[in-house]
Amino acid sequence: PLEQILLILSHFRSGHSVIPSQGNVSLLLTNRVNFNIKYGCLILYCTPLMKVVNKADANFNNRIILDFHKNIKLLIVVNFLCVISILFFYTLFYYLLKLLGLNSSTDILFYIQAFDNLPSLNKYIFCVLILITAIIHELIHGLFFYIFTGDRPKIGFKSIYAYAGAPDWYIHKNKFFIISLSSLVIITILAIIILSVIPDSYFSIVFLLFTLNAGGSLGDIWVCIKLLNKPKDTYINDKGIVLSINY
């Protein structure tokens, strides 16, 4: 029957090994085939063997729990490394913009000094833009969670941290690489485009915003590094603040 053929085709295209427990054929076709063809086909066709597994069907022998909220030692280490990461990306982007012809300064501290000389109102606006950038960062993660699972992601704030997750899904590590690095890559590309067209008076604000975004992506980068030496069939369950690595 046509429905069975389309069901098999949807599995082939999306790389899903398990149908969501609450799903039926029409829901699967809507969320997997139609959405993937319109919006996610390039990403999903480039990763044909990657899978997501519904939580109800997951069965793993090994599990590593990363709780960024309750593990105080982990939280301190990640926050310390985050500061180092911001300094690293500040230096990296400074020389990248010089390479692209967008930076004529000879002083590496130029953007910090320029920001310090801004009117107070612009500094308040900068603080608001940090919050907006953090929200956009998590919305991009959420978009890729949705592309790969077809399920609405969980997005919110915990303490001072914004997060996005897919608590009902176990996602293959190769897809999770894409989800984790998506916000860093997309926002950095957008920032470079914006820097090429905005007036010089706003340059330091945008530069520092995308530097903070990149430095704040350390947690995403750190998880990706931890996944590099894990088995091929490793799946990640991301609840937002709590993340488990399963294989």
Side-chain angles (χ1 to χ4, degrees), residues 178-194:
I178 297 173
I179 294 172
S180 294
L181 299 177
S182 59
S183 298
L184 170 61
V185 173
I186 291 174
I187 291 178
T188 299
I189 292 173
L190 288 176
I192 292 174
I193 294 172
I194 293 171

Side-chain angles (χ1 to χ4, degrees), residues 31-52:
N31 283 347
R32 300 292 186 273
V33 178
N34 294 338
F35 185 84
N36 291 346
I37 289 175
K38 290 180 181 178
Y39 304 105
C41 59
L42 177 61
I43 295 170
L44 294 177
Y45 287 173
C46 289
T47 56
L49 298 179
M50 304 171 197
K51 304 171 183 177
V52 296

Side-chain angles (χ1 to χ4, degrees), residues 36-79:
N36 291 346
I37 289 175
K38 290 180 181 178
Y39 304 105
C41 59
L42 177 61
I43 295 170
L44 294 177
Y45 287 173
C46 289
T47 56
L49 298 179
M50 304 171 197
K51 304 171 183 177
V52 296
V53 178
N54 186 264
K55 188 175 181 179
D57 302 298
N59 183 23
F60 301 101
N61 295 321
N62 300 283
R63 175 167 298 171
I64 300 172
I65 304 295
L66 302 176
D67 190 333
F68 292 93
H69 185 65
K70 292 184 178 179
N71 191 330
I72 303 300
K73 182 180 178 180
L74 177 62
L75 191 62
I76 292 173
V77 170
V78 170
N79 280 307

Side-chain angles (χ1 to χ4, degrees), residues 78-206:
V78 170
N79 280 307
F80 172 76
L81 292 177
C82 187
V83 175
I84 304 299
S85 176
I86 290 172
L87 296 175
F88 168 78
F89 279 109
Y90 180 96
T91 305
L92 176 65
F93 292 151
Y94 174 84
Y95 287 106
L96 175 62
L97 293 181
K98 286 186 77 71
L99 184 65
L100 295 174
L102 297 175
N103 174 18
S104 59
S105 170
T106 58
D107 183 359
I108 197 170
L109 298 178
F110 170 78
Y111 297 109
I112 296 176
Q113 295 167 350
F115 176 78
D116 191 49
N117 293 328
L118 289 174
S120 297
L121 178 60
N122 287 16
K123 292 178 181 178
Y124 290 127
I125 293 174
F126 176 75
C127 294
V128 174
L129 289 176
I130 291 176
L131 177 61
I132 293 173
T133 303
I135 293 172
I136 293 173
H137 181 108
E138 298 307 328
L139 287 175
I140 293 172
H141 284 318
L143 172 63
F144 279 85
F145 275 123
Y146 183 70
I147 288 174
F148 287 132
T149 68
D151 200 9
R152 183 176 179 177
K154 181 180 179 181
I155 300 175
F157 284 89
K158 184 75 171 182
S159 184
I160 61 173
Y161 300 98
Y163 66 85
D168 294 329
W169 295 92
Y170 287 80
I171 302 170
H172 189 276
K173 73 171 187 176
N174 289 345
K175 281 188 176 180
F176 202 79
F177 283 138
I178 297 173
I179 294 172
S180 294
L181 299 177
S182 59
S183 298
L184 170 61
V185 173
I186 291 174
I187 291 178
T188 299
I189 292 173
L190 288 176
I192 292 174
I193 294 172
I194 293 171
L195 287 172
S196 67
V197 298
I198 61 170
D200 291 344
S201 56
Y202 297 104
F203 205 95
S204 62
I205 290 179
V206 176

